[in-house]
Each structure stands twice: as C-alpha cells, then as structure tokens.
Amino acid sequence: MLLAPACTGPNFIHAPAKENAAMTHSPADASAPIESGQLIARVLKLIDSIHGAADLAPENIERQTGLPVRIHSADRTEYAASGRVDADWAYSLASVSYRQGQAPSRLDFEFIDARADRGKPADPAAICALDVDGYRRALSRQGFEEVRLAPHAPDPGFGFRGVEPLSFVRGKVEVSLLAYEDADPGEGRACVAGLHISTQS
C-alpha cells in the first residue's frame, strides 16, 4: 500500500493538478489553517462528486475542495493535500495505491495530531465539527446507504482487532468512518478522525 506523506515538508514541490482547472472553491492558502467544519464540508462535496476511480484524480480534488494538491511521484499516482487546522491539529487528504505505479483506488482523509509533545491525547474539540450522526445524515442525503458488517467471533491468533469502521456505499463508492481514539463508530456522538473513500474498478 502506498500512502502519500501526510505532512507537507520543504522537499515537496507543489505541482498543481491542472494549471487552469476551474475551481468550485477559491484555491486555499496551504499555509493558512482551515477550520474543521469548513474542511469537512469541502471533503463531503468531493465525496458527492466521486462515482468511479477517475474522480479520485488530483484535478477533481482541487476543483471540488479548492485545496492545493502536491504531486509526489513522476507518474502522478501519489499525491496529497495537507495543511493545518490549528496549532495542535493538521489534516491530510492522500491517494492510496495498492501496487507501485497503479492508479489510486482510494483517498484517505485524516486529522493528525501535530503536537511536538504527544504524552497525552490531544483535545479533539477542534476536529469534531461533525460527529458520526452528522456524517450519516450528510452521506444519506448524497444517496449512500449504511452497510453493517456481520459480527464475528474474536480470533486470539490475530490479537487485538480494534473496532470495525462504519461504512456507507453508493454504487461503486464506499466511505468508511474512522472514529477518534478507536471509539465505537456505532455511537452516534463519536468523533470522526478520518475517512477512507474507496472505489471499485
């Protein structure tokens, strides 16, 4: 699995996805923090535009979100948009490929604890503008249906499995919600720390 780096560093060259791509949002200043509610609204708008793998392209990310996308590989299969929410939190929206040089079939959006000292969990208030119930309503309005995974018996051979993500499907697109601190996403008020946006070929 190839995941573009979550944090933008000085060695990355900003290569706009398309020089004159029409923007639904004004292009964001990558150095300026973006409040989580605004950021989530942009990501939800991107999700609504995705109907297949072609819609995961950097051009569409920039067009739907206004976030500048950085290209991390010569073949343009690794790319990400990233920045700050506040002094403690950063975000990343990155492509995921399952084979070297393969076009991405997934985007991962996550809030990242960006503090130098992580001795204690960060206060999630800044990233919890929309809880599980809020995402459920928003995705339902976009035509997604919630998918409940069949329960399975714990298998000691696999060790700790954690909590299964909550998934929503529309056509070839699946969105999985990842709860903060591995909370049960079935709890409606749980804080959402990340999303996996996947497409079938």
Side-chain angles (χ1 to χ4, degrees):
M1 180 184 296
L2 299 176
L3 176 60
C7 296
T8 302
N11 295 329
F12 296 148
I13 298 173
H14 179 208
K18 201 170 191 177
E19 195 71 26
N20 297 312
M23 294 286 185
T24 303
H25 295 282
S26 298
D29 177 356
S31 64
I34 301 179
E35 187 269 333
S36 65
Q38 181 186 31
L39 183 60
I40 291 167
R42 293 181 181 211
V43 171
L44 284 169
K45 187 175 189 307
L46 170 64
I47 290 171
D48 197 28
S49 77
I50 296 173
H51 298 278
D55 298 320
L56 304 180
E59 293 86 354
N60 193 48
I61 295 173
E62 288 194 341
R63 184 163 51 247
Q64 301 299 331
T65 68
L67 301 174
V69 175
R70 293 176 180 266
I71 309 298
H72 300 296
S73 64
D75 61 7
R76 297 174 64 83
T77 60
E78 296 178 51
Y79 45 86
S82 59
R84 284 276 183 172
V85 174
D86 64 11
D88 292 340
W89 290 96
Y91 69 87
S92 171
L93 177 62
S95 65
V96 177
S97 299
Y98 294 100
R99 196 175 300 170
Q100 185 74 36
Q102 186 180 62
S105 59
R106 194 173 98 196
L107 295 176
D108 283 0
F109 172 68
E110 62 178 328
F111 290 109
I112 302 159
D113 183 349
R115 297 171 303 153
D117 180 6
R118 300 184 190 178
K120 295 181 180 179
D123 182 355
I127 65 169
C128 294
L130 202 63
D131 59 19
V132 167
D133 279 345
Y135 277 98
R136 182 181 279 119
R137 289 191 295 270
L139 292 170
S140 177
R141 286 193 296 268
Q142 294 181 0
F144 284 86
E145 294 184 1
E146 187 172 342
V147 176
R148 295 192 178 275
L149 299 177
H152 57 76
D155 186 342
F158 285 93
F160 177 69
R161 287 181 173 227
V163 177
E164 295 285 0
L166 197 61
S167 294
F168 300 81
V169 174
R170 181 188 66 192
K172 296 182 177 181
V173 183
E174 179 177 1
V175 178
S176 298
L177 307 186
L178 308 175
Y180 179 65
E181 289 287 281
D182 207 29
D184 183 356
E187 297 294 328
R189 300 299 299 172
C191 179
V192 176
L195 306 173
H196 290 172
I197 308 159
S198 307
T199 63
Q200 300 175 6
S201 57

